[in-house]
Amino acid sequence: MSSPGQTESIVTGFWRNHDLPAWKSAQFLVTEQRAQMISNAVAVSLALTLPRLLVLVKLLLPFCIKQLSKWRSSYLARKPTPGRANQPRPDIIPLQPPRAGIAVGAAEAFNNASSFDDAAARFIRDHLAMARVELNGEQAGFWQRFTNARRNLREDAWTFAWLSTLSVVLFLVFIGQQIVAICATNIVTDSTALLASPHCGVWLSELYSELKLVTGKKHIALPLTNFANDRVLKSVSYAETCYGNNSRPEECMYFYKSKIPFREIYNSSCPFPGDVCLYGNSSAYTLDTGFLDSNILGINEVNRCQFRLRSTCTPLVAEEPYVQVEPVGKVGSKKVYYFFGNVRNITNQHPNLTFSWEFRAPSLDALIFRAKGYDIQEYPLIYDRHTSYHRFRPELRAPNSLTTIFFVFPHLFFSAPSDDPVFPAVPAPAYSGFSSLYWNTLQRHSMLGCADTVELRHPRSGAIWYPEFSNASELNSSQWHNPSVDASVRLLNLSLSIPEYFKAPHLFNSQLFEVHKKLCGPASTPLAREQWKVEARRLLTIRLARLQMDVLGVAQGLGHDFPLAKDALREGGSEECPQIKFRAQGWKNWRLVTLLRLFGGAGSLSLPPLSGYGSLRARLFLGMLVLFGAVWWTCRCEA
């Protein structure tokens, strides 16, 4: 699937990704080539800075030793001597840095070290674990060094303590260098970008809803374009590629998130209030996304609503009063009437009649010569689901959900048996000569009923709004304005209605069943053990992929060139079109916080070397000031 973002529609430069914490949200979008140049510049900066840091510490070490000596002398001078509390205290001669014992040569060892970890290792090996006498250059073992360290600790605890502390500090600095190097890789992040076309909007045309152009007293019929079909077929392709168990991430780098997660619930409650589920009230199959942040669709708003899609399907009973059979014509032929509701608005027949179908007597010979695949009737049609909802029988109206019933009958053979209630297949009679094949002997359709629910929820108040069922005035209540999430609610509500607005041959769910792909001449390859659950899952994944595509299509401004096109988003009261995130091939982001921290610290430590400790302390102070300033700003943003 090609990337939708022309260069002129991508927001380049500074932008904020509101999916991230406030202190990480600042991004700077550049081309991938420039991002690589930035990464190389950071690597060079670190390579020049870290050796300079070692030099600065080497210059600072004598000063630290001198200060430690002064602190020790001051401490000993203030410490009272037992038995001499009332005697005058003589002048105390300040102690010099340790001149004997394990500290001998410590400064030289540090100056000869090639890195911080090497210096720490030298202190531990040659000083903390130093032996009194080493003969013939023999290397002491681990236990001998451990014994030497214990003895040195008892003999000179003060010197041992500060040398140990210095070793730990040097090792921590070494670890800090590695952490900085790892953090440097986070400067250049992903390829997320904002798509903001000048034609952004939900563009709808009366020509697609009415299928005709009115000019005076004449009606000019217009043929459908490929727009609606292409959208459906692309959704099917994306669902098959990216929602399967074997999907590969590199093939799904198109939307902000490659797919919308959902969970499967087996043996869930029957979605319909009546006793119409074939296997009882705990035999349904539910697919539920749960409440998800609409940011997963790429909606880049500070305050966004949450959404939830849930589809519950179950085989339906095939007995009275819902199914009635009467013999007709030749012996064995039957006519079946389905009374699930007058969804086709047939006014001159039974008020609950859905449709009727005549089935001839079972005949293998006739089936062989007239095999044509699956006959799947779908009621109501997807673009008539809302208006037909109240035409179903009351026991088939799931609360705040749209009901769809699929009537399935296969005109073909199967290569394997199946006890699926919607796609049954039993062995063909032995006398037929086709005993290795299987077929459906039912003289009626099998029914699969699905109840689809969409919910929008305010993230703080928890208020829930059902598109197509709830009153729009509910969105004006205070529960939806603290804070306001109007932009995301309007966008999602319109995006969810787009498939029902555009009529197209491939828009029918009955044509999207996987079983159509199983056909091989007059027979079908083996079906899954519970094929009806496979179909329910497939329909939901296609719907989720279509939702991702329609939300991104709003940012692209798809349909703005339709005749008589109107932007339903702005007509609905939205002043601005929301910016939508997607994956832009050939573009990368800088993470500004990480970039400023690294370059700020590196710049302060890489100032031109001056003479004396004063300039050294000034550089260290500036480096610490930059570091603590960045930390303070980070904490402030998080708060």
Side-chain angles (χ1 to χ4, degrees), residues 298-585:
I299 299 177
N300 194 48
E301 295 286 326
V302 177
N303 299 308
R304 310 170 296 270
C305 71
Q306 299 172 337
F307 73 98
R308 178 186 186 184
L309 271 68
R310 184 172 71 251
S311 178
T312 302
C313 296
T314 179
L316 301 179
V317 296
E319 57 190 29
E320 293 188 357
Y322 307 105
V323 178
Q324 296 181 10
V325 181
E326 65 179 29
V328 294
K330 296 181 179 180
V331 177
S333 296
K334 299 178 181 178
K335 188 169 186 178
V336 182
Y337 297 87
Y338 301 95
F339 297 96
F340 290 90
N342 188 13
V343 293
R344 295 192 301 165
N345 198 22
I346 303 175
T347 58
N348 58 346
Q349 298 190 37
H350 192 283
N352 284 323
L353 178 63
T354 307
F355 73 104
S356 60
W357 199 270
E358 185 173 333
F359 293 88
R360 295 185 179 182
S363 171
L364 287 173
D365 295 334
L367 181 59
I368 293 174
F369 291 105
R370 287 185 293 185
K372 60 178 181 179
Y374 288 92
D375 170 38
I376 303 179
Q377 304 288 323
E378 172 187 355
Y379 294 103
L381 300 179
I382 188 170
Y383 49 74
D384 194 35
R385 294 176 71 185
H386 181 66
T387 57
S388 300
Y389 171 77
H390 294 286
R391 298 174 187 163
F392 277 110
R393 299 176 73 120
E395 58 267 40
L396 288 166
R397 301 174 195 168
N400 298 314
S401 304
L402 293 175
T403 301
T404 304
I405 300 180
F406 301 95
F407 299 84
V408 181
F409 185 82
H411 294 275
L412 44 77
F413 285 107
F414 295 91
S415 59
S418 172
D419 58 358
D420 188 299
V422 181
F423 302 94
V426 298
Y431 67 82
S432 66
F434 297 98
S435 57
S436 60
L437 295 178
Y438 306 85
W439 66 327
N440 182 358
T441 58
L442 296 177
Q443 283 185 281
R444 62 168 175 79
H445 290 84
S446 301
M447 282 73 67
L448 176 65
C450 295
D452 298 318
T453 310
V454 179
E455 300 173 64
L456 303 182
R457 185 174 75 174
H458 194 282
R460 294 188 183 178
S461 67
I464 295 179
W465 191 75
Y466 297 93
E468 299 190 86
F469 289 95
S470 298
N471 195 309
S473 61
E474 296 179 18
L475 298 176
N476 297 326
S477 66
S478 59
Q479 291 180 314
W480 288 94
H481 291 274
N482 188 27
S484 176
V485 291
D486 277 353
S488 57
V489 169
R490 294 178 188 277
L491 175 59
L492 275 177
N493 184 38
L494 289 171
S495 297
L496 288 165
S497 65
I498 288 176
E500 301 178 12
Y501 186 88
F502 293 103
K503 301 176 177 65
H506 288 93
L507 195 61
F508 307 136
N509 286 325
S510 57
Q511 297 187 1
L512 304 179
F513 274 42
E514 188 183 64
V515 291
H516 296 302
K517 301 168 62 178
K518 301 281 188 178
L519 297 179
C520 183
S524 169
T525 55
L527 304 181
R529 183 174 179 274
E530 294 181 302
Q531 184 67 32
W532 67 273
K533 294 182 179 179
V534 175
E535 305 298 350
R537 188 182 190 280
R538 175 178 172 84
L539 293 180
L540 179 73
T541 56
I542 293 174
R543 189 181 187 192
L544 294 177
R546 180 62 191 268
L547 177 59
Q548 291 178 278
M549 191 168 297
D550 287 333
V551 169
L552 185 60
V554 172
Q556 294 175 264
L558 295 181
H560 71 277
D561 53 351
F562 291 161
L564 305 180
K566 296 180 181 180
D567 183 4
L569 192 63
R570 289 182 172 82
E571 286 189 348
S574 296
E575 297 179 358
E576 297 181 359
C577 186
Q579 294 179 328
I580 308 299
K581 294 175 289 190
F582 78 111
R583 303 289 182 179
Q585 301 299 322

Side-chain angles (χ1 to χ4, degrees), residues 52-86:
R52 180 64 58 85
L53 180 61
L54 180 61
V55 172
L56 292 176
V57 175
K58 286 182 178 181
L59 293 174
L60 190 63
L61 185 62
F63 172 77
C64 294
I65 294 176
K66 182 177 179 181
Q67 289 298 116
L68 284 173
S69 178
K70 289 183 178 180
W71 293 339
R72 184 187 183 193
S73 300
S74 177
Y75 170 75
L76 294 176
R78 293 194 304 270
K79 184 177 181 181
T81 304
R84 298 184 179 180
N86 299 324

